[in-house]
Amino acid sequence: MVYNLLLEFVSGGTLGDLIEKSNGHGLPEAEVKRYTRSILEGIKHIHKFDYVHCDLKPENILFVPNPATSTGSFVVKISDFGLAKKTKENYGQWRGTPTYLSSEALNDSEQEPPSDIWSLGCIVLEMPTGKSFSDLKPGCELEVFHYMFDHVCTPKIPAEISGVARDFLKSCLATRSCERLTAEKLFLHPFVVRPKPSKAARHTKGKVV
């Protein structure tokens, strides 16, 4: 028996590619908000069905052409579910990319929905800074990988990041997993909530202007 597997053509590359192309300057906050909201939609859906992705990172966030527009814009989608697991399912060891793993994953091999939220915080922090997450954790470079098992360092959030973005990141990167917001609650955070249209925009809706 032969199966044909059809996949979307991801012509936009990965979020990791886009961050790298910024040459350390990072992405505009408006873009970061838009991409974060889309990633959160995916995480919320994954967690709704009692799964944990376990390997969220910029290289696993893909840019897919947006069929709703003809302007060549893209939407981001989560890929690579090869390490995903059911919640409460214990494999006895952590799964994923160490740089993006939470303390409970590295130290206790505990990977539940809050672990994905930590990884999301790592991704969001990389977007506006243009730096890899390990560069933002002094003393936690992969060259001293064993150090990461003693304790996962809290990353330094650069001062130039806006207050609302900083609050969002703190909600993702709390050291204690119980203090991280769920994907559903983060979806209501001001950082990713779409702004309401202005009165003028509502007034002209449906009119030719």
Side-chain angles (χ1 to χ4, degrees), residues 36-57 60-61 76-88 111-117 119-120 123 182-184 187:
T36 301
R37 183 177 178 86
S38 293
I39 297 169
L40 259 178
E41 283 184 298
I43 294 175
K44 190 170 71 164
H45 187 75
I46 294 168
H47 292 177
K48 177 183 176 181
F49 288 93
D50 290 325
Y51 276 91
V52 186
H53 187 280
C54 297
D55 197 23
L56 291 171
K57 57 185 177 181
N60 285 341
I61 307 298
V76 298
K77 294 189 177 184
I78 298 172
S79 70
D80 197 350
F81 287 78
L83 295 177
K85 61 178 276 293
K86 289 285 286 185
T87 57
K88 307 303 180 185
Q111 287 178 280
E112 298 301 328
S115 300
D116 280 348
I117 299 302
S119 302
L120 171 68
I123 296 169
T182 63
E184 192 168 346
F187 204 68

Side-chain angles (χ1 to χ4, degrees), residues 47-154:
H47 292 177
K48 177 183 176 181
F49 288 93
D50 290 325
Y51 276 91
V52 186
H53 187 280
C54 297
D55 197 23
L56 291 171
K57 57 185 177 181
E59 289 73 22
N60 285 341
I61 307 298
L62 308 182
F63 284 92
V64 181
N66 187 351
T69 68
S70 57
T71 58
S73 64
F74 294 89
V75 293
V76 298
K77 294 189 177 184
I78 298 172
S79 70
D80 197 350
F81 287 78
L83 295 177
K85 61 178 276 293
K86 289 285 286 185
T87 57
K88 307 303 180 185
E89 194 173 32
N90 186 7
Y91 287 92
Q93 61 181 18
W94 55 264
R95 305 152 71 85
T97 305
T99 311
Y100 298 90
L101 294 183
S102 62
S103 57
E104 71 271 12
L106 286 171
N107 296 329
D108 305 316
S109 297
E110 180 186 322
Q111 287 178 280
E112 298 301 328
S115 300
D116 280 348
I117 299 302
W118 173 278
S119 302
L120 171 68
C122 301
I123 296 169
V124 175
L125 186 54
E126 284 194 20
M127 283 194 275
T129 61
K131 297 178 181 178
S132 68
F133 188 64
S134 57
D135 292 336
L136 295 162
K137 297 193 299 180
C140 292
E141 293 78 6
L142 290 181
E143 288 76 12
V144 285
F145 179 74
H146 61 87
Y147 183 72
M148 297 177 69
F149 285 91
D150 295 329
H151 62 285
V152 174
C153 301
T154 302

